[in-house]
């Protein structure tokens, strides 16, 4: 199956232009080629002549003209000209366009470059908290993080994803204290007991989700309970067997539920580690940091000062050990970095709400001071904005509580079912099949709506808009792909040949719609590269949307099944097959599915 790497058009043109710069005695670094910002004028543009001319104190239009002259008789180029202050506009011949597209079509990677060198990348995302229902913030982390893991892996990086459960802080002690209050006679609470403890969990996930807010409220109102919760947390962390046994049940019960919710979102993790995973490292790590004089005592707590000269704003110290000996959120993060460094990772990405930026700044600085990153581990916070309600404030339920992820998924699926009925889609399917299609459409709506925004922007949650089959939505993409597939199925039914034809069957484009579609197919590699470089899946989503639009325009403008010129018909069917393969590929990267029919 190994085909020679296909080189997309922009990349091969850039090689030509850089070479023309060099042959004209100019620095080839300025020969970058990009897609034209005015597609009605040309397919591509090169803007480096201005910078080169400025450095050499020459006339930019003259410099550009030199480059144009050096390229004028290249057979791949159909049109090339100097515009405005010194832009070089260029378009390729139809034969070149078809040939490059055939290369993409025949390449399993659709022209995307392989990571060079591949790096060992850990992606920390999801981050749900044990016993607490996941909310929309976890939705963003999960969707963006999962998409990044898919794209990095596709590029050839060695990726490990870690859910990093919130399973070790005060909330755990609050739950233990609350259960002890309600059911003090459970064996878990017998002082000094080493068990055995009940193998059956005394609490279900519903119990945990009910108990947690009760306990949190009680901790606010009642200082004695707060103290009990704090003590329970410290005793859990230092290994009291009964508490550990009870806590093991919390984890098992929560993880069972979480697995189901993440599966519904098409999100997977390699590691289900948590804050607790590094508990045994904390003592030795702190001891070593004391020896290295990185720790200071302040008001009974041990802290690490991380402020630096020249900081624009105040960076407060990281609290490592509280006055009661308990570990903090930052302590477990720091110990986790130590573990990740020992695992010889090159890069660790944290896909977490931008509002935690300061936390990561503190932790990363402490890690650097403790020498944990000296072996080459790079740490990076990949932040994201909030999901808001129509009022512009963080999204809530009507009753004002946090919106649970599972409810959200159900709402999206229900809305998708309504939309399918409105659009008259999948109406002859069985109820079961229809439910499956609604799930695919609903998840596509949620994932795409989240990913298409730049991760740092906030967005307004609007299911009605996200689930539409028109516009920049997941359902529009899904619908387009199903349409392409049904076209190919019809062609196969009629015995038309092109369905499985090799990509060499792509003909030269005869219309602008075909040219645009081919050009866009050549842009996959850049969409992947940009997504990786900027940790920005919106680039891949924009590309997928463009591809779907170009496909629909092509389908409107060109006869396919009804084309009487058989060679043209088969060439167009090959273009359809290539587009479908590209849609399936980008779907796999952004985590949406294509139903067999709709
Ligand atoms: N559990 C945290 C929260 O809900 C997110 C964890 C993010 N990852 C990390 N390594 N700190 O806010």
């Amino acid at each position: 199956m190994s085909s020679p790497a296909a080189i997309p058009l922009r990349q091969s043109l850039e090689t030509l232009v850089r070479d023309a710069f060099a042959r004209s005695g100019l620095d080839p670094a300025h020969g970058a080629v990009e897609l034209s910002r005015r597609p009605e004028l040309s397919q591509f543009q090169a803007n480096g002549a201005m910078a080169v001319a400025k450095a050499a104190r020459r006339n930019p239009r003259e410099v550009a003209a030199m480059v144009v002259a050096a390229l004028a008789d290249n057979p791949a180029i159909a049109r090339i000209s100097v515009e405005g202050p010194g832009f070089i506009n260029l378009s390729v011949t139809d034969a070149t366009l078809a040939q490059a597209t055939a290369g993409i079509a025949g390449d399993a990677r659709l022209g995307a470059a392989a990571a060079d060198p591949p790096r060992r990348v850990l992606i920390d995302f999801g981050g749900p908290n044990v016993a607490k229902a996941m909310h929309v913030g976890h939705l963003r982390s999960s969707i963006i993080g999962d998409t990044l893991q898919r794209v990095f892996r596709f590029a050839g990086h060695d990726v490990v994803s870690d859910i990093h459960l919130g399973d070790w802080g005060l909330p755990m002690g609050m739950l233990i204290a609350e259960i002890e209050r309600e059911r003090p006679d459970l064996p878990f609470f017998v002082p000094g007991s080493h068990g055995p403890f009940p193998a059956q969990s005394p609490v279900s996930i519903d119990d945990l989700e009910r108990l947690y807010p009760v306990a949190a409220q009680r901790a606010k109102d009642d200082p004695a309970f707060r103290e009990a919760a704090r003590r329970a947390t410290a005793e859990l962390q230092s290994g009291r067997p009964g508490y550990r046994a009870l806590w093991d049940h919390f984890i098992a019960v929560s993880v069972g539920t979480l697995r189901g919710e993440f599966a519904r979102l098409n999100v997977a993790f390699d590691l289900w580690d948590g804050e607790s995973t590094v508990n045994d490292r904390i003592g030795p790590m702190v001891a070593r940091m004391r020896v290295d004089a990185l720790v200071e005592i302040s008001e009974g707590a041990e802290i690490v000062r991380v402020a630096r000269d020249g900081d624009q704003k105040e960076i407060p110290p990281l609290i490592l050990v509280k006055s009661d000996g308990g570990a903090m959120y930052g302590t477990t993060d720091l110990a986790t970095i130590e573990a990740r460094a020992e695992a010889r990772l090159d890069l660790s990405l944290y896909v977490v709400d931008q509002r935690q930026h300061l936390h990561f700044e503190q932790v990363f600085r402490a890690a650097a001071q403790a020498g944990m990153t000296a072996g080459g581990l790079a740490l990076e916070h990949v932040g994201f904005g909030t999901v808001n309600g129509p009022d512009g404030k963080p999204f809530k339920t009507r009753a004002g509580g946090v919106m649970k992820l599972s409810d959200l998924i159900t709402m999206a699926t229900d809305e998708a079912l309504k939309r399918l009925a409105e659009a008259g889609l999948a109406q002859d399917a069985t109820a079961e099949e229809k439910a499956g299609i609604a799930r695919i459409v609903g998840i596509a709506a949620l994932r795409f709506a989240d990913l298409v925004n730049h991760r740092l922007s906030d967005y307004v949650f609007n299911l009605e808009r996200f689930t539409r089959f028109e516009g920049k939505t997941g359902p529009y993409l899904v619908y387009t792909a199903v349409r392409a597939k049904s076209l190919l199925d019809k062609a196969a039914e009629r015995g038309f040949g092109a369905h499985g034809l090799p990509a060499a069957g792509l003909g030269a484009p005869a219309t602008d719609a075909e040219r645009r579609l081919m050009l866009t197919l050549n842009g996959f590699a850049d969409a992947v590269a940009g997504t990786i470089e900027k940790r920005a899946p919106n680039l891949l989503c924009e590309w997928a949307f463009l591809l779907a639009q170009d496909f629909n325009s092509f389908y409107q403008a060109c006869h396919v099944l009804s084309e009487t010129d058989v060679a043209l018909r088969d060439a167009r069917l090959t273009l359809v097959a290539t587009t479908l393969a590209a849609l399936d590929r980008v779907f796999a990267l952004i985590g949406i599915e294509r139903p067999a029919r709709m």
Side-chain angles (χ1 to χ4, degrees), residues 124 127-129 138 164 166 275 329 333 350 352 356 359-360:
D124 177 320
N129 299 312
H138 297 114
H164 201 78
E275 296 162 359
Y329 181 43
D333 260 330
Y350 294 79
V352 186
Q356 294 194 26
H359 165 79
F360 286 108

Side-chain angles (χ1 to χ4, degrees), residues 17 20-26 46-53 58-73 77 79-90:
V17 172
F21 266 67
R23 283 186 288 119
S24 310
L26 306 167
N47 307 333
M50 274 88 75
V52 167
R58 290 165 67 179
N59 178 322
R61 280 190 64 97
E62 274 168 28
V63 170
M66 256 165 50
V67 176
V68 166
L71 284 168
D73 50 10
I77 292 172
R79 285 187 318 276
I80 181 163
S81 61
V82 180
E83 301 296 335
F87 295 108
I88 299 169
N89 284 2
L90 62 166

